Amino acid sequence: MRTYIIKRLLQAIPTLLVISFLIFSLLYITPGDPVLIMLGTSDNQTMTEEEYQAAKHDMGLDRPMLARYGEFLTGALRGDLGKSYITDEDVFDTIVSKMPATLILTLAAILIALMISIPLGILAAIRHNSIWDTLATFLATIGTSLPKFWFGLVLIIFFSQNLHWLPSQGIAYPLEDGWLAFFRHLILPAASLSLGLAATQTRMIRSSMLDVLGQDYVRFARSKGLKERAVIIGHAMKNAMIPVVTVIGSEFGSLLGGAVVTETIFSWPGIGRLAMNSINKRDYPMIQGNTLVMCAIFLTINLLVDIVCAWLNPKIRLDKQ
Amino acid sequence: MKKFTRILSLLLTACLLASCAPQAPSSSSGSPNSSKPSGAQSGEPAGKEEKVMTIGTQYSIATLNPLKATADGDRYVLCNIYESLVEYDSAGKFVPGFAQSWETEDDHTWVFHLKDNSYWQTGNDLFKDEKVPVTANDVKQIFEMTMDEANESAQRVAVSSNLESIEVVDDTTIKFITKTPDAYFLSTLANVYLFPPKAIETGFDLTKFPVGSGPYKFVKYATDDEVVLEKNADFAIEPGLDEVVFKIIPDKSVLAISLQNNEIDLATTVMPNDLASVLAKEDLTVVANASGWYRYMGFNFDNELFQDPDIRRAVCMAIDVDSAIAATFRNDANVDIAVRAYGPIPLEFVGADEEAWKKVTPAYDPEGAKALIESKGYTLNANGIYEKDGQELTFTLKSANYDPNMKFGIIVSTELKKIGINCVSQPTEWATLLSDLKAGNKEAFIMGGGSTLTGMNSLFHSVKSKGGSHALNYVNLELDVKLDQAFATMDETARAALLSEASCIAMEDCAELPLFFEYAQWGMNKRVQDFEQTPALYFSLTNSQRNITVK
C-alpha cells in the first residue's frame, strides 16, 4: 500500500506540471488585458501610455511567457502562488480562506445526492421493470439534462420568491448567525449542485444493485429465509456501493468545478466564485493558483478513493495492480 | 447502522468545516433585514431598534484602498467612509463635502472653507479612541500624496495635470492654484477621497481597514459576500442609519428576487424583465437613476471606410434608433428605461442641448442613406449588399456580450443589412472588448460612457481622450479648440453654449451615432427614506443634500 501511495504521489507531479503549463499557455493566448481592468477605464480616470506600460512592467506582463512560467513554477514549489493583480492579496491565502465555503457546499451536495439516489436507485433495482423503475430512470435522465444554473434559479423562484421559505442568496455562519440560518442558506445551493450527481448516482446504484441481486450469495441469503430487507441492506447494498464510492470520489472534483455556476447564482463566497471573478478580471495569478489547487485536490481525492476502495473490498490489492 | 454512522460522520465533518469557516457578519438570515434590537454595546436604551439598511449590489469589490479605487462597487462603499472636498448631486451641481463653501479669487485660484468639526474616525488601530480633527494641513498632504508616484494613486494624473500649488491659509481655509483655468476642477477634487496622511506615513493598510472621516465607519468586509459599515457618531450630521450592509449579489435576477423577499432594501439595478414583479409588491417601488448613462455607436477613425463622413452619415441615417430603443427596453411594467439620445451630454448636465442636436444629428432616412451610399459609387450585388471595386460594404459591430448593448448591436446590424450594408454584430466579453478597443482591433462598436461632467473630453478630444475606454481615435482640431475653451470657461452660461456648440460639431460630423440615455432602475423598499431625491450611490448616504434612513 505504501509503495502504491508513493507511486501515485510521484505520478501527480508530471500531471500538475502539464496542467500548470496548459493553464499558463491558455491564459497567454486568451484575449483581454489585465492592465486595463486593474487600472480601470472609467470616465473618472484616464491613463497615459507611460502609466500603462509601467503597470504592465510591474505586473511582469512584458516578459516572455516561458520566463513568467518559470517564475510561477518556482514560486509554486515554495508554496508562493503570487499576489492578485486586482486586490493585491496573497493568492494562496485567498484560496484557503474561500475553501471552507466550497467544501461545505460540496459535501452538502453529495449528502443530498446520496439521500436521493440511494433509495431511488435501490427501489428501481428491486422493482425492476416496474413503474418505479421507469420513474427513477426518467427522473435521472431529467436530472442529468437540466442545466444547474436553470435549476438553481427555479429553486430560488419557488422557495424564496413564491414561498418565502428560504433565503435566495448568501451564506450564514453558524457561530455568528446560528445553525438554523446556516442550514437555511445552505439548502438551495446544495440542492442545486447535487442535481447532476443525484441523477448519475441513481442510475449507477440501480445497475450496480441489479448486478449484485443476481449474484449467488444473494440468492443463498434469500434461500436461508432472510427477510428481503435484511438481504438488501445486509448483503446486496454493501457490495453495490463499491462502484458508487469510486464515482463519488471523481464526482467530488466535478462538483468543485460545477460550484462556479452555483456559487455565482447563490452569491456563495467560495472558490468557484473566486474563479469566476478572477476570469472576468483577467487576474492571472488568481486563475492559475485556483486551477492548480483544484487540480491538486482532484488528484488527492482520486488517490483517497482508491485507498478507501481497497479498504472496503479486501479483494482489491493496490500493490499488485 | 454502518451507513448511518457514515452519514453522521459526513454531517459532523460538514459542521466542523462550517465552524472553521471565516467568521463574517451576515444580515438577518432569510428574514427581512428591517431593524434589529440594539445590544448593550451600543449604549442605546433597551428596546430601541437599530436602523439597518441592506443594499444589494451586483458589483464585487476590487479594492477598498481609497487611492486606487475606481470601480463603481468600490466607490459605493468608500464614499461613505471617506469625505471628499466637494460632492456633486444628480444634476452635476457641486455641493459641499468637507469644504463647506468655496469661491474663486481669479480663474486659477480656488479658496475652500473647510468644516471645523470633522474628525478622523475612532475605534481603529490608527487613531484608537483619540478624536483627531481633519485640518487644512491634512488636505494639503493628502493631495501631495495623491500626486506622489510612489503611492500609485488612480487620481494622480487627473490631479497633477493641472494643479500648480496648494496653500494652507489657516486650519479651515485652503487655496488650490491651477496651471490653467479649469471649470471642472471641482470634479477632479470630488474624486479624491480624504484619507488620513498618518496612514501612509505609518504604513497602516487602508485596503484592509479603511479609515476616513465620513458618516460611516468600516466594520468588516467578507470577501465577495458583504461589506458592513456602522454609524460614525462623530460625524457633523447624525447619520440616519446605525448600520449599512452592502450585500454582493452578482446575478441580477437573484438581486430582484432578494428585494422581493425583503432580504435587501435597495437593489442597484432591476432588469426590465423583473420590473413588473417588483412593482407588483406593495412595499416596493423602482426609481430611475439620477442621470442618464450615455450609449453610442462609435466608429474607428483609423479605419479607411469610416474616414469618409458620407459613409458615417449613411450608416447613421439607416438606423431606426427610436424603434430599436422601444424593442430593447420593452417591459411589462411600462417603465421608461431609456430615452433617445440626439447628442452626447446627459440631459441633466450643463451643455445638454437637445433642440440644437436634433438639427444636426442625422434623422432616420433609409432611402436617403441608400442614395448617399450610391453617390459614392457603390452598387447592390446579387446578395443585396453594396459593393465597389469588388469589395462589399461590410464591417463588424462589437458590443459587450450583455444587454442592452448586445441586443442593440443585433438590432443595428439587422437594420443595416436591410439597406445593403453587411454589418456583422459581434458581442464580445467585456475584458476582451476593452483590450480590443485599446488595441484598435475594431471597426464599429457600441459603448457606454462619457456620462460625467468632463465626458465630452473623454469622448472626442483628440489628446484628452487618449487612455480612456472610448478610443474613437477621432481628430477634429476645431472641436478640440472649442472643448478647451469650454472647460476653461468659468461662467456656466457661456460654458453651456460652448459645450453645446462642441457637441453639435461632433454630431454634424457624425463622429458617433448617439443612441440612448439609459436610466437604470433602482429597486427600493418603500421604508427607505430620502433616497428618491438623488437616486445614486456615487455620493454618500449622509451629506449636505440627503440623509438616507429607514422607517
Side-chain angles (χ1 to χ4, degrees), chain A residues 1 238-239 242 306-321, chain B residues 2 6:
Chain A
M1 176 77 91
K238 189 180 171 188
N239 287 307
I242 292 172
D306 285 349
I307 295 166
V308 169
C309 281
W311 175 66
L312 279 177
N313 186 356
K315 277 198 257 177
I316 300 171
R317 289 283 172 266
L318 296 176
D319 288 347
K320 288 180 186 171
Q321 282 177 352
Chain B
K2 280 181 184 171
R6 283 179 199 161

mmCIF file with all atom_site columns, all heavy atoms in Angstrom, chain A residues 1 238-239 242 306-321, chain B residues 2 6:
data_model
loop_
_atom_site.group_PDB
_atom_site.id
_atom_site.type_symbol
_atom_site.label_atom_id
_atom_site.label_alt_id
_atom_site.label_comp_id
_atom_site.label_asym_id
_atom_site.label_entity_id
_atom_site.label_seq_id
_atom_site.pdbx_PDB_ins_code
_atom_site.Cartn_x
_atom_site.Cartn_y
_atom_site.Cartn_z
_atom_site.occupancy
_atom_site.B_iso_or_equiv
_atom_site.pdbx_formal_charge
_atom_site.auth_seq_id
_atom_site.auth_comp_id
_atom_site.auth_asym_id
_atom_site.auth_atom_id
_atom_site.pdbx_PDB_model_num
ATOM 1   N N   . MET A 1 1   ? 0.835   -1.213  0.000   1.00 0.00 ? 1   MET A N   1
ATOM 2   C CA  . MET A 1 1   ? 0.000   0.000   0.000   1.00 0.00 ? 1   MET A CA  1
ATOM 3   C C   . MET A 1 1   ? 0.865   1.257   0.000   1.00 0.00 ? 1   MET A C   1
ATOM 4   O O   . MET A 1 1   ? 0.615   2.191   -0.761  1.00 0.00 ? 1   MET A O   1
ATOM 5   C CB  . MET A 1 1   ? -0.906  -0.020  1.234   1.00 0.00 ? 1   MET A CB  1
ATOM 6   C CG  . MET A 1 1   ? -1.753  1.198   1.422   1.00 0.00 ? 1   MET A CG  1
ATOM 7   S SD  . MET A 1 1   ? -3.171  1.248   0.350   1.00 0.00 ? 1   MET A SD  1
ATOM 8   C CE  . MET A 1 1   ? -4.382  0.454   1.375   1.00 0.00 ? 1   MET A CE  1
ATOM 9   N N   . LYS A 1 238 ? -24.111 -3.314  0.453   1.00 0.00 ? 238 LYS A N   1
ATOM 10  C CA  . LYS A 1 238 ? -22.706 -3.051  0.764   1.00 0.00 ? 238 LYS A CA  1
ATOM 11  C C   . LYS A 1 238 ? -21.826 -3.262  -0.466  1.00 0.00 ? 238 LYS A C   1
ATOM 12  O O   . LYS A 1 238 ? -20.967 -2.445  -0.790  1.00 0.00 ? 238 LYS A O   1
ATOM 13  C CB  . LYS A 1 238 ? -22.258 -3.958  1.907   1.00 0.00 ? 238 LYS A CB  1
ATOM 14  C CG  . LYS A 1 238 ? -20.896 -3.577  2.423   1.00 0.00 ? 238 LYS A CG  1
ATOM 15  C CD  . LYS A 1 238 ? -20.459 -4.474  3.547   1.00 0.00 ? 238 LYS A CD  1
ATOM 16  C CE  . LYS A 1 238 ? -19.005 -4.203  3.884   1.00 0.00 ? 238 LYS A CE  1
ATOM 17  N NZ  . LYS A 1 238 ? -18.476 -5.160  4.824   1.00 0.00 ? 238 LYS A NZ  1
ATOM 18  N N   . ASN A 1 239 ? -22.088 -4.366  -1.160  1.00 0.00 ? 239 ASN A N   1
ATOM 19  C CA  . ASN A 1 239 ? -21.276 -4.655  -2.345  1.00 0.00 ? 239 ASN A CA  1
ATOM 20  C C   . ASN A 1 239 ? -21.621 -3.744  -3.518  1.00 0.00 ? 239 ASN A C   1
ATOM 21  O O   . ASN A 1 239 ? -20.758 -3.416  -4.331  1.00 0.00 ? 239 ASN A O   1
ATOM 22  C CB  . ASN A 1 239 ? -21.435 -6.116  -2.749  1.00 0.00 ? 239 ASN A CB  1
ATOM 23  C CG  . ASN A 1 239 ? -20.716 -7.017  -1.768  1.00 0.00 ? 239 ASN A CG  1
ATOM 24  O OD1 . ASN A 1 239 ? -19.530 -6.839  -1.493  1.00 0.00 ? 239 ASN A OD1 1
ATOM 25  N ND2 . ASN A 1 239 ? -21.451 -7.944  -1.165  1.00 0.00 ? 239 ASN A ND2 1
ATOM 26  N N   . ILE A 1 242 ? -19.600 -0.255  -3.770  1.00 0.00 ? 242 ILE A N   1
ATOM 27  C CA  . ILE A 1 242 ? -18.177 -0.066  -4.117  1.00 0.00 ? 242 ILE A CA  1
ATOM 28  C C   . ILE A 1 242 ? -17.998 0.817   -5.356  1.00 0.00 ? 242 ILE A C   1
ATOM 29  O O   . ILE A 1 242 ? -17.272 1.820   -5.306  1.00 0.00 ? 242 ILE A O   1
ATOM 30  C CB  . ILE A 1 242 ? -17.467 -1.427  -4.262  1.00 0.00 ? 242 ILE A CB  1
ATOM 31  C CG1 . ILE A 1 242 ? -17.407 -2.077  -2.882  1.00 0.00 ? 242 ILE A CG1 1
ATOM 32  C CG2 . ILE A 1 242 ? -16.054 -1.260  -4.834  1.00 0.00 ? 242 ILE A CG2 1
ATOM 33  C CD1 . ILE A 1 242 ? -16.911 -3.495  -2.893  1.00 0.00 ? 242 ILE A CD1 1
ATOM 34  N N   . ASP A 1 306 ? -9.123  5.478   -4.159  1.00 0.00 ? 306 ASP A N   1
ATOM 35  C CA  . ASP A 1 306 ? -8.503  4.178   -4.421  1.00 0.00 ? 306 ASP A CA  1
ATOM 36  C C   . ASP A 1 306 ? -8.178  3.464   -3.117  1.00 0.00 ? 306 ASP A C   1
ATOM 37  O O   . ASP A 1 306 ? -8.392  2.253   -2.972  1.00 0.00 ? 306 ASP A O   1
ATOM 38  C CB  . ASP A 1 306 ? -7.221  4.363   -5.241  1.00 0.00 ? 306 ASP A CB  1
ATOM 39  C CG  . ASP A 1 306 ? -7.540  4.688   -6.684  1.00 0.00 ? 306 ASP A CG  1
ATOM 40  O OD1 . ASP A 1 306 ? -8.731  4.565   -7.060  1.00 0.00 ? 306 ASP A OD1 1
ATOM 41  O OD2 . ASP A 1 306 ? -6.625  5.087   -7.421  1.00 0.00 ? 306 ASP A OD2 1
ATOM 42  N N   . ILE A 1 307 ? -7.683  4.229   -2.150  1.00 0.00 ? 307 ILE A N   1
ATOM 43  C CA  . ILE A 1 307 ? -7.320  3.631   -0.863  1.00 0.00 ? 307 ILE A CA  1
ATOM 44  C C   . ILE A 1 307 ? -8.572  3.151   -0.126  1.00 0.00 ? 307 ILE A C   1
ATOM 45  O O   . ILE A 1 307 ? -8.604  2.039   0.419   1.00 0.00 ? 307 ILE A O   1
ATOM 46  C CB  . ILE A 1 307 ? -6.535  4.647   -0.004  1.00 0.00 ? 307 ILE A CB  1
ATOM 47  C CG1 . ILE A 1 307 ? -5.191  4.952   -0.694  1.00 0.00 ? 307 ILE A CG1 1
ATOM 48  C CG2 . ILE A 1 307 ? -6.297  4.126   1.400   1.00 0.00 ? 307 ILE A CG2 1
ATOM 49  C CD1 . ILE A 1 307 ? -4.477  6.168   -0.148  1.00 0.00 ? 307 ILE A CD1 1
ATOM 50  N N   . VAL A 1 308 ? -9.618  3.970   -0.163  1.00 0.00 ? 308 VAL A N   1
ATOM 51  C CA  . VAL A 1 308 ? -10.862 3.595   0.515   1.00 0.00 ? 308 VAL A CA  1
ATOM 52  C C   . VAL A 1 308 ? -11.461 2.339   -0.124  1.00 0.00 ? 308 VAL A C   1
ATOM 53  O O   . VAL A 1 308 ? -11.972 1.459   0.560   1.00 0.00 ? 308 VAL A O   1
ATOM 54  C CB  . VAL A 1 308 ? -11.867 4.790   0.482   1.00 0.00 ? 308 VAL A CB  1
ATOM 55  C CG1 . VAL A 1 308 ? -13.257 4.350   0.938   1.00 0.00 ? 308 VAL A CG1 1
ATOM 56  C CG2 . VAL A 1 308 ? -11.368 5.910   1.361   1.00 0.00 ? 308 VAL A CG2 1
ATOM 57  N N   . CYS A 1 309 ? -11.390 2.267   -1.457  1.00 0.00 ? 309 CYS A N   1
ATOM 58  C CA  . CYS A 1 309 ? -11.944 1.102   -2.155  1.00 0.00 ? 309 CYS A CA  1
ATOM 59  C C   . CYS A 1 309 ? -11.224 -0.174  -1.718  1.00 0.00 ? 309 CYS A C   1
ATOM 60  O O   . CYS A 1 309 ? -11.856 -1.215  -1.514  1.00 0.00 ? 309 CYS A O   1
ATOM 61  C CB  . CYS A 1 309 ? -11.823 1.277   -3.661  1.00 0.00 ? 309 CYS A CB  1
ATOM 62  S SG  . CYS A 1 309 ? -13.098 2.339   -4.303  1.00 0.00 ? 309 CYS A SG  1
ATOM 63  N N   . ALA A 1 310 ? -9.924  -0.058  -1.593  1.00 0.00 ? 310 ALA A N   1
ATOM 64  C CA  . ALA A 1 310 ? -9.147  -1.222  -1.160  1.00 0.00 ? 310 ALA A CA  1
ATOM 65  C C   . ALA A 1 310 ? -9.530  -1.620  0.255   1.00 0.00 ? 310 ALA A C   1
ATOM 66  O O   . ALA A 1 310 ? -9.596  -2.800  0.600   1.00 0.00 ? 310 ALA A O   1
ATOM 67  C CB  . ALA A 1 310 ? -7.674  -0.887  -1.232  1.00 0.00 ? 310 ALA A CB  1
ATOM 68  N N   . TRP A 1 311 ? -9.808  -0.623  1.056   1.00 0.00 ? 311 TRP A N   1
ATOM 69  C CA  . TRP A 1 311 ? -10.193 -0.883  2.450   1.00 0.00 ? 311 TRP A CA  1
ATOM 70  C C   . TRP A 1 311 ? -11.580 -1.513  2.511   1.00 0.00 ? 311 TRP A C   1
ATOM 71  O O   . TRP A 1 311 ? -11.836 -2.440  3.277   1.00 0.00 ? 311 TRP A O   1
ATOM 72  C CB  . TRP A 1 311 ? -10.137 0.455   3.198   1.00 0.00 ? 311 TRP A CB  1
ATOM 73  C CG  . TRP A 1 311 ? -10.618 0.377   4.608   1.00 0.00 ? 311 TRP A CG  1
ATOM 74  C CD1 . TRP A 1 311 ? -10.044 -0.300  5.635   1.00 0.00 ? 311 TRP A CD1 1
ATOM 75  C CD2 . TRP A 1 311 ? -11.784 1.020   5.141   1.00 0.00 ? 311 TRP A CD2 1
ATOM 76  N NE1 . TRP A 1 311 ? -10.758 -0.123  6.777   1.00 0.00 ? 311 TRP A NE1 1
ATOM 77  C CE2 . TRP A 1 311 ? -11.843 0.687   6.506   1.00 0.00 ? 311 TRP A CE2 1
ATOM 78  C CE3 . TRP A 1 311 ? -12.768 1.841   4.609   1.00 0.00 ? 311 TRP A CE3 1
ATOM 79  C CZ2 . TRP A 1 311 ? -12.849 1.160   7.338   1.00 0.00 ? 311 TRP A CZ2 1
ATOM 80  C CZ3 . TRP A 1 311 ? -13.764 2.318   5.434   1.00 0.00 ? 311 TRP A CZ3 1
ATOM 81  C CH2 . TRP A 1 311 ? -13.804 1.970   6.768   1.00 0.00 ? 311 TRP A CH2 1
ATOM 82  N N   . LEU A 1 312 ? -12.479 -1.033  1.646   1.00 0.00 ? 312 LEU A N   1
ATOM 83  C CA  . LEU A 1 312 ? -13.840 -1.568  1.618   1.00 0.00 ? 312 LEU A CA  1
ATOM 84  C C   . LEU A 1 312 ? -13.874 -2.999  1.085   1.00 0.00 ? 312 LEU A C   1
ATOM 85  O O   . LEU A 1 312 ? -14.643 -3.829  1.539   1.00 0.00 ? 312 LEU A O   1
ATOM 86  C CB  . LEU A 1 312 ? -14.731 -0.693  0.733   1.00 0.00 ? 312 LEU A CB  1
ATOM 87  C CG  . LEU A 1 312 ? -15.295 0.587   1.340   1.00 0.00 ? 312 LEU A CG  1
ATOM 88  C CD1 . LEU A 1 312 ? -16.079 1.348   0.293   1.00 0.00 ? 312 LEU A CD1 1
ATOM 89  C CD2 . LEU A 1 312 ? -16.179 0.297   2.547   1.00 0.00 ? 312 LEU A CD2 1
ATOM 90  N N   . ASN A 1 313 ? -13.068 -3.252  0.067   1.00 0.00 ? 313 ASN A N   1
ATOM 91  C CA  . ASN A 1 313 ? -13.087 -4.560  -0.564  1.00 0.00 ? 313 ASN A CA  1
ATOM 92  C C   . ASN A 1 313 ? -11.690 -5.177  -0.534  1.00 0.00 ? 313 ASN A C   1
ATOM 93  O O   . ASN A 1 313 ? -10.830 -4.800  -1.321  1.00 0.00 ? 313 ASN A O   1
ATOM 94  C CB  . ASN A 1 313 ? -13.566 -4.414  -2.010  1.00 0.00 ? 313 ASN A CB  1
ATOM 95  C CG  . ASN A 1 313 ? -13.742 -5.761  -2.679  1.00 0.00 ? 313 ASN A CG  1
ATOM 96  O OD1 . ASN A 1 313 ? -13.432 -6.801  -2.074  1.00 0.00 ? 313 ASN A OD1 1
ATOM 97  N ND2 . ASN A 1 313 ? -14.208 -5.750  -3.906  1.00 0.00 ? 313 ASN A ND2 1
ATOM 98  N N   . PRO A 1 314 ? -11.483 -6.110  0.362   1.00 0.00 ? 314 PRO A N   1
ATOM 99  C CA  . PRO A 1 314 ? -10.141 -6.697  0.509   1.00 0.00 ? 314 PRO A CA  1
ATOM 100 C C   . PRO A 1 314 ? -9.667  -7.402  -0.766  1.00 0.00 ? 314 PRO A C   1
ATOM 101 O O   . PRO A 1 314 ? -8.488  -7.664  -0.903  1.00 0.00 ? 314 PRO A O   1
ATOM 102 C CB  . PRO A 1 314 ? -10.329 -7.705  1.649   1.00 0.00 ? 314 PRO A CB  1
ATOM 103 C CG  . PRO A 1 314 ? -11.594 -7.316  2.319   1.00 0.00 ? 314 PRO A CG  1
ATOM 104 C CD  . PRO A 1 314 ? -12.446 -6.673  1.303   1.00 0.00 ? 314 PRO A CD  1
ATOM 105 N N   . LYS A 1 315 ? -10.603 -7.662  -1.689  1.00 0.00 ? 315 LYS A N   1
ATOM 106 C CA  . LYS A 1 315 ? -10.192 -8.339  -2.926  1.00 0.00 ? 315 LYS A CA  1
ATOM 107 C C   . LYS A 1 315 ? -9.313  -7.415  -3.776  1.00 0.00 ? 315 LYS A C   1
ATOM 108 O O   . LYS A 1 315 ? -8.556  -7.869  -4.607  1.00 0.00 ? 315 LYS A O   1
ATOM 109 C CB  . LYS A 1 315 ? -11.430 -8.752  -3.723  1.00 0.00 ? 315 LYS A CB  1
ATOM 110 C CG  . LYS A 1 315 ? -12.011 -10.070 -3.247  1.00 0.00 ? 315 LYS A CG  1
ATOM 111 C CD  . LYS A 1 315 ? -12.916 -10.660 -4.300  1.00 0.00 ? 315 LYS A CD  1
ATOM 112 C CE  . LYS A 1 315 ? -14.363 -10.426 -3.906  1.00 0.00 ? 315 LYS A CE  1
ATOM 113 N NZ  . LYS A 1 315 ? -15.301 -10.901 -4.920  1.00 0.00 ? 315 LYS A NZ  1
ATOM 114 N N   . ILE A 1 316 ? -9.471  -6.096  -3.558  1.00 0.00 ? 316 ILE A N   1
ATOM 115 C CA  . ILE A 1 316 ? -8.676  -5.147  -4.331  1.00 0.00 ? 316 ILE A CA  1
ATOM 116 C C   . ILE A 1 316 ? -7.325  -4.983  -3.633  1.00 0.00 ? 316 ILE A C   1
ATOM 117 O O   . ILE A 1 316 ? -7.247  -4.553  -2.483  1.00 0.00 ? 316 ILE A O   1
ATOM 118 C CB  . ILE A 1 316 ? -9.388  -3.779  -4.419  1.00 0.00 ? 316 ILE A CB  1
ATOM 119 C CG1 . ILE A 1 316 ? -10.741 -3.956  -5.094  1.00 0.00 ? 316 ILE A CG1 1
ATOM 120 C CG2 . ILE A 1 316 ? -8.537  -2.760  -5.154  1.00 0.00 ? 316 ILE A CG2 1
ATOM 121 C CD1 . ILE A 1 316 ? -11.628 -2.746  -5.059  1.00 0.00 ? 316 ILE A CD1 1
ATOM 122 N N   . ARG A 1 317 ? -6.267  -5.349  -4.323  1.00 0.00 ? 317 ARG A N   1
ATOM 123 C CA  . ARG A 1 317 ? -4.931  -5.224  -3.745  1.00 0.00 ? 317 ARG A CA  1
ATOM 124 C C   . ARG A 1 317 ? -4.159  -4.199  -4.570  1.00 0.00 ? 317 ARG A C   1
ATOM 125 O O   . ARG A 1 317 ? -3.737  -4.463  -5.688  1.00 0.00 ? 317 ARG A O   1
ATOM 126 C CB  . ARG A 1 317 ? -4.204  -6.568  -3.792  1.00 0.00 ? 317 ARG A CB  1
ATOM 127 C CG  . ARG A 1 317 ? -4.764  -7.581  -2.826  1.00 0.00 ? 317 ARG A CG  1
ATOM 128 C CD  . ARG A 1 317 ? -4.303  -7.299  -1.388  1.00 0.00 ? 317 ARG A CD  1
ATOM 129 N NE  . ARG A 1 317 ? -4.990  -8.166  -0.455  1.00 0.00 ? 317 ARG A NE  1
ATOM 130 C CZ  . ARG A 1 317 ? -6.102  -7.839  0.202   1.00 0.00 ? 317 ARG A CZ  1
ATOM 131 N NH1 . ARG A 1 317 ? -6.632  -6.661  0.033   1.00 0.00 ? 317 ARG A NH1 1
ATOM 132 N NH2 . ARG A 1 317 ? -6.654  -8.681  1.047   1.00 0.00 ? 317 ARG A NH2 1
ATOM 133 N N   . LEU A 1 318 ? -4.006  -3.041  -3.978  1.00 0.00 ? 318 LEU A N   1
ATOM 134 C CA  . LEU A 1 318 ? -3.415  -1.944  -4.743  1.00 0.00 ? 318 LEU A CA  1
ATOM 135 C C   . LEU A 1 318 ? -1.980  -2.242  -5.182  1.00 0.00 ? 318 LEU A C   1
ATOM 136 O O   . LEU A 1 318 ? -1.581  -1.909  -6.282  1.00 0.00 ? 318 LEU A O   1
ATOM 137 C CB  . LEU A 1 318 ? -3.440  -0.660  -3.922  1.00 0.00 ? 318 LEU A CB  1
ATOM 138 C CG  . LEU A 1 318 ? -4.834  -0.147  -3.583  1.00 0.00 ? 318 LEU A CG  1
ATOM 139 C CD1 . LEU A 1 318 ? -4.730  1.077   -2.689  1.00 0.00 ? 318 LEU A CD1 1
ATOM 140 C CD2 . LEU A 1 318 ? -5.616  0.190   -4.829  1.00 0.00 ? 318 LEU A CD2 1
ATOM 141 N N   . ASP A 1 319 ? -1.228  -2.867  -4.294  1.00 0.00 ? 319 ASP A N   1
ATOM 142 C CA  . ASP A 1 319 ? 0.181   -3.080  -4.592  1.00 0.00 ? 319 ASP A CA  1
ATOM 143 C C   . ASP A 1 319 ? 0.390   -3.965  -5.823  1.00 0.00 ? 319 ASP A C   1
ATOM 144 O O   . ASP A 1 319 ? 1.395   -3.872  -6.501  1.00 0.00 ? 319 ASP A O   1
ATOM 145 C CB  . ASP A 1 319 ? 0.891   -3.710  -3.395  1.00 0.00 ? 319 ASP A CB  1
ATOM 146 C CG  . ASP A 1 319 ? 1.049   -2.694  -2.291  1.00 0.00 ? 319 ASP A CG  1
ATOM 147 O OD1 . ASP A 1 319 ? 0.830   -1.498  -2.594  1.00 0.00 ? 319 ASP A OD1 1
ATOM 148 O OD2 . ASP A 1 319 ? 1.385   -3.078  -1.169  1.00 0.00 ? 319 ASP A OD2 1
ATOM 149 N N   . LYS A 1 320 ? -0.592  -4.851  -6.085  1.00 0.00 ? 320 LYS A N   1
ATOM 150 C CA  . LYS A 1 320 ? -0.421  -5.784  -7.194  1.00 0.00 ? 320 LYS A CA  1
ATOM 151 C C   . LYS A 1 320 ? -0.897  -5.196  -8.510  1.00 0.00 ? 320 LYS A C   1
ATOM 152 O O   . LYS A 1 320 ? -0.703  -5.789  -9.552  1.00 0.00 ? 320 LYS A O   1
ATOM 153 C CB  . LYS A 1 320 ? -1.188  -7.073  -6.883  1.00 0.00 ? 320 LYS A CB  1
ATOM 154 C CG  . LYS A 1 320 ? -0.521  -7.887  -5.787  1.00 0.00 ? 320 LYS A CG  1
ATOM 155 C CD  . LYS A 1 320 ? -1.310  -9.135  -5.512  1.00 0.00 ? 320 LYS A CD  1
ATOM 156 C CE  . LYS A 1 320 ? -0.713  -9.883  -4.302  1.00 0.00 ? 320 LYS A CE  1
ATOM 157 N NZ  . LYS A 1 320 ? -1.563  -10.985 -3.881  1.00 0.00 ? 320 LYS A NZ  1
ATOM 158 N N   . GLN A 1 321 ? -1.579  -4.070  -8.468  1.00 0.00 ? 321 GLN A N   1
ATOM 159 C CA  . GLN A 1 321 ? -2.148  -3.523  -9.693  1.00 0.00 ? 321 GLN A CA  1
ATOM 160 C C   . GLN A 1 321 ? -1.058  -2.941  -10.580 1.00 0.00 ? 321 GLN A C   1
ATOM 161 O O   . GLN A 1 321 ? -0.157  -2.310  -10.077 1.00 0.00 ? 321 GLN A O   1
ATOM 162 C CB  . GLN A 1 321 ? -3.180  -2.444  -9.354  1.00 0.00 ? 321 GLN A CB  1
ATOM 163 C CG  . GLN A 1 321 ? -4.479  -3.055  -8.931  1.00 0.00 ? 321 GLN A CG  1
ATOM 164 C CD  . GLN A 1 321 ? -5.500  -2.011  -8.510  1.00 0.00 ? 321 GLN A CD  1
ATOM 165 O OE1 . GLN A 1 321 ? -5.176  -0.840  -8.397  1.00 0.00 ? 321 GLN A OE1 1
ATOM 166 N NE2 . GLN A 1 321 ? -6.697  -2.437  -8.249  1.00 0.00 ? 321 GLN A NE2 1
ATOM 167 N N   . LYS B 2 2   ? -24.000 0.935   9.834   1.00 0.00 ? 2   LYS B N   1
ATOM 168 C CA  . LYS B 2 2   ? -22.743 1.493   9.349   1.00 0.00 ? 2   LYS B CA  1
ATOM 169 C C   . LYS B 2 2   ? -23.003 2.701   8.470   1.00 0.00 ? 2   LYS B C   1
ATOM 170 O O   . LYS B 2 2   ? -22.287 3.686   8.488   1.00 0.00 ? 2   LYS B O   1
ATOM 171 C CB  . LYS B 2 2   ? -21.960 0.427   8.577   1.00 0.00 ? 2   LYS B CB  1
ATOM 172 C CG  . LYS B 2 2   ? -21.222 -0.521  9.474   1.00 0.00 ? 2   LYS B CG  1
ATOM 173 C CD  . LYS B 2 2   ? -20.449 -1.517  8.656   1.00 0.00 ? 2   LYS B CD  1
ATOM 174 C CE  . LYS B 2 2   ? -19.774 -2.533  9.553   1.00 0.00 ? 2   LYS B CE  1
ATOM 175 N NZ  . LYS B 2 2   ? -19.195 -3.623  8.777   1.00 0.00 ? 2   LYS B NZ  1
ATOM 176 N N   . ARG B 2 6   ? -21.735 6.495   8.807   1.00 0.00 ? 6   ARG B N   1
ATOM 177 C CA  . ARG B 2 6   ? -21.019 7.252   7.767   1.00 0.00 ? 6   ARG B CA  1
ATOM 178 C C   . ARG B 2 6   ? -21.689 8.600   7.505   1.00 0.00 ? 6   ARG B C   1
ATOM 179 O O   . ARG B 2 6   ? -21.043 9.632   7.377   1.00 0.00 ? 6   ARG B O   1
ATOM 180 C CB  . ARG B 2 6   ? -20.954 6.445   6.475   1.00 0.00 ? 6   ARG B CB  1
ATOM 181 C CG  . ARG B 2 6   ? -19.905 5.360   6.546   1.00 0.00 ? 6   ARG B CG  1
ATOM 182 C CD  . ARG B 2 6   ? -19.868 4.563   5.280   1.00 0.00 ? 6   ARG B CD  1
ATOM 183 N NE  . ARG B 2 6   ? -19.196 3.291   5.537   1.00 0.00 ? 6   ARG B NE  1
ATOM 184 C CZ  . ARG B 2 6   ? -19.303 2.241   4.781   1.00 0.00 ? 6   ARG B CZ  1
ATOM 185 N NH1 . ARG B 2 6   ? -20.049 2.267   3.708   1.00 0.00 ? 6   ARG B NH1 1
ATOM 186 N NH2 . ARG B 2 6   ? -18.646 1.137   5.071   1.00 0.00 ? 6   ARG B NH2 1
#
